[in-house]
Amino acid sequence: MKKYHSFNFLKKIYFVRTGGSLEELKAANLIMDEIKSLGGNPHLEEFEVDYSEITKAKLVFDDKIEIECKGSGYSGSTPNDGVSGEFVYITSDEDLNMTSLKDKIVLILSKRVPHKYYLKGLKDGAKGFIVTTGDVYKKDNDVDLDPYLNREPDYKEGLIPTVMIRMKDAEKIVEKYPSKATLTLISNDSKRNSRNVITEIKGNEFPDEVITFTAHYDSVSYSKGAYDNGTGAITLLQLFDYFKNNMPKRTLKFIWCGSEEMGLLGSKAYCKNHEDELKNNIVLNINIDMVAVTLGYDIACVTGDTDIISNIKYASKEFGFPIHVYQGVYSSDSTPFADKGVPAISFARLSKSGGATIHSKNDVIERLSEPNYLKTCNFIINLTSRWINSCYFPINKNIPDNMKDELDYYLLRKERPLR
């Protein structure tokens, strides 16, 4: 039998594929075709995601200094001539607590408005937010002004028009510290469909015990998403091919999640629509998000009991595969499963500082290494095969209290206490 090389498939989905776009659908269909070629029977599950058409975004300081900006969808619209207010730059949480945001246009050095800043803005009556991207050393052409969407935890509370500028421009503005800002944003908000690609392999001894493998296949705007997360998508193909040819004792479900970059929307939709399966059948989630990078190191983030950490560390030594294992909440498609009570593990090979970057046009194939990719794939196969084919499943279906707290903090259900 010819050995399958999923790394070759990466070039087929090497294009921008934002959540809910026609390009994301194209990638889903390519993944479907690849699964079929490997003997699988995939299907799509659709779900709605936010979409916003920005027709106007403008930012002017003191009626004379105009700065290029992009609008954030689902943050509301201003009148055609904009809204004006006193300009203020909030430097820290302490600064936020000391400053009234009433009738102000607020600059924050962050790609998104932190949730507590957003709530303070709503409470005080802020007129607008300005967020930032890039760094002060990059030329304008090297910094993408991302058309981010405001997310549901914020916009369900209310709308505050928000635009994004480059960090270099933020520095110039703070140096001048104008007294007034005028922000104009015209946004048409709607919905469109995204999709999860799903296939399974039935277990031949314990078919009612299910392990889910997840990876997202969408990208952010401007990015072809080779590293984040084309590499995760192809890892699932490699794992599917292996277990299709080495039949597992337990049922395996493979889920290529759409719209992860928009707030884990694909995995959230799956968990919402499969609650009985999560409660009665799914015993573990294994998520892959960013592997194969040339300059990097492997990690496993466990949202579950510390026994899982010990198990992975033991296998690491046995197989001679160095990997940093820790307990925590990983910002990826593992999180909605853990929030439903299913232990979850996210595997990644993280880039070293100064190496490959994500969420930009610089996320390219050239930063990736097929030998590193295969090492990670082989470790995941060797490790998970033991669990999947064990006489008694060795992982307790339990989320410890400290991880429940971390999930609450991550999902903005409660605020992390000050230390």
Side-chain angles (χ1 to χ4, degrees):
M1 183 180 295
K2 186 177 179 181
K3 191 170 183 180
Y4 177 60
H5 293 280
S6 63
F7 200 80
N8 298 331
F9 181 77
L10 188 56
K11 292 181 181 178
K12 292 187 178 181
I13 57 170
Y14 189 50
F15 50 85
V16 178
R17 44 191 193 277
T18 54
S21 67
L22 291 176
E23 291 76 19
E24 188 197 47
L25 175 58
K26 176 183 175 182
N29 286 326
L30 288 167
I31 292 168
M32 292 259 289
D33 290 342
E34 190 76 0
I35 295 167
K36 291 174 185 175
S37 75
L38 297 172
N41 184 28
H43 68 278
L44 296 178
E45 289 189 2
E46 289 191 341
F47 55 95
E48 279 192 338
V49 298
D50 295 334
Y51 174 69
S52 194
E53 181 184 7
I54 307 293
T55 58
K56 185 177 182 181
K58 186 176 180 180
L59 185 61
V60 179
F61 296 92
D62 285 343
D63 298 324
K64 58 184 178 182
I65 306 169
E66 183 171 347
I67 297 294
E68 184 182 4
C69 67
K70 282 284 180 73
S72 295
Y74 277 81
S75 68
S77 290
T78 67
N80 285 329
D81 56 354
V83 293
S84 296
E86 179 186 347
F87 170 72
V88 63
Y89 162 42
I90 298 296
T91 62
S92 63
D93 289 0
E94 291 77 13
D95 191 9
L96 179 72
N97 294 333
M98 295 178 182
T99 306
S100 170
L101 304 186
K102 182 174 175 56
D103 295 332
K104 294 182 172 67
I105 308 290
V106 184
L107 170 66
I108 299 167
L109 303 186
S110 170
K111 270 195 168 185
R112 292 189 184 279
V113 181
H115 187 59
K116 64 181 173 181
Y117 286 55
Y118 197 89
L119 294 180
K120 176 86 182 313
L122 287 170
K123 180 182 177 182
D124 288 0
K127 286 192 172 181
F129 278 116
I130 306 166
V131 293
T132 58
T133 188
D135 64 55
V136 296
Y137 299 102
K138 289 181 179 177
K139 297 179 180 178
D140 286 356
N141 290 340
D142 293 329
V143 179
D144 302 321
L145 284 174
D146 299 329
Y148 273 107
L149 286 170
N150 200 10
R151 292 182 176 175
E152 186 178 7
D154 289 334
Y155 72 66
K156 74 178 181 181
E157 302 290 342
L159 300 174
I160 303 177
T162 303
V163 296
M164 173 180 283
I165 65 174
R166 295 179 177 87
M167 187 71 79
K168 185 183 289 186
D169 288 329
E171 183 181 56
K172 292 176 182 176
I173 290 302
V174 171
E175 284 178 346
K176 296 179 183 296
Y177 218 104
S179 61
K180 185 178 88 168
T182 301
L183 185 157
T184 307
L185 176 62
I186 308 299
S187 172
N188 298 316
D189 300 331
S190 60
K191 301 284 185 181
R192 57 185 183 180
N193 288 333
S194 182
R195 298 145 190 93
N196 293 330
V197 181
I198 302 168
T199 193
E200 74 172 22
I201 303 171
K202 275 288 185 185
N204 57 19
E205 286 192 29
F206 309 104
D208 292 335
E209 292 185 11
V210 179
I211 292 93
T212 56
F213 286 93
T214 54
H216 76 90
Y217 68 95
D218 63 309
S219 74
V220 299
S221 299
Y222 303 108
S223 174
K224 294 181 179 179
Y227 178 31
D228 181 20
N229 186 35
T231 56
I234 64 173
T235 301
L236 256 59
L237 289 170
Q238 193 72 41
L239 295 171
F240 176 79
D241 176 72
Y242 174 83
F243 286 111
K244 188 70 177 173
N245 291 294
N246 297 271
M247 292 302 293
K249 290 183 178 181
R250 288 171 174 81
T251 295
L252 307 182
K253 188 164 281 193
F254 298 84
I255 308 164
W256 286 261
C257 298
S259 298
E260 186 265 2
E261 299 289 5
M262 298 173 68
L264 319 182
L265 299 186
S267 49
K268 286 179 179 178
Y270 185 89
C271 290
K272 180 180 178 181
N273 295 328
H274 295 264
E275 288 192 355
D276 287 345
E277 184 185 29
L278 284 157
K279 182 179 179 181
N280 299 316
N281 302 109
I282 298 176
V283 294
L284 179 67
N285 170 252
I286 298 165
N287 182 61
I288 319 295
D289 195 349
M290 302 185 303
V291 294
V293 71
T294 301
L295 301 177
Y297 60 100
D298 283 86
I299 66 99
C301 178
V302 175
T303 315
D305 284 332
T306 55
D307 289 351
I308 304 172
I309 296 174
S310 300
N311 195 313
I312 298 172
K313 285 182 176 180
Y314 183 92
S316 166
K317 294 172 183 176
E318 182 179 4
F319 298 127
F321 181 79
I323 184 169
H324 174 58
V325 191
Y326 62 97
Q327 189 183 47
V329 174
Y330 195 80
S331 184
S332 187
D333 290 309
S334 52
T335 296
F337 286 88
D339 195 46
K340 292 294 185 179
V342 175
I345 308 163
S346 274
F347 288 97
R349 181 174 170 85
L350 301 180
S351 175
K352 289 289 189 179
S353 178
T357 61
I358 62 170
H359 295 176
S360 78
K361 66 182 72 157
N362 296 319
D363 184 350
V364 294
I365 288 178
E366 287 76 12
R367 302 282 82 79
L368 305 178
S369 159
E370 186 172 9
N372 282 338
Y373 168 69
L374 292 175
K375 287 178 184 177
T376 301
C377 283
N378 288 336
F379 176 74
I380 294 171
I381 288 171
N382 288 332
L383 173 69
T384 60
S385 292
R386 292 182 162 193
W387 299 339
I388 291 163
N389 296 314
S390 59
C391 294
Y392 183 87
F393 196 66
I395 294 175
N396 292 325
K397 189 172 179 178
N398 176 59
I399 303 296
D401 288 342
N402 66 322
M403 287 296 97
K404 290 178 182 177
D405 287 340
E406 290 298 321
L407 287 163
D408 283 340
Y409 303 146
Y410 177 85
L411 296 168
L412 303 177
R413 290 191 291 250
K414 40 185 205 184
E415 189 172 331
R416 189 182 297 276
L418 296 175
R419 295 177 179 176

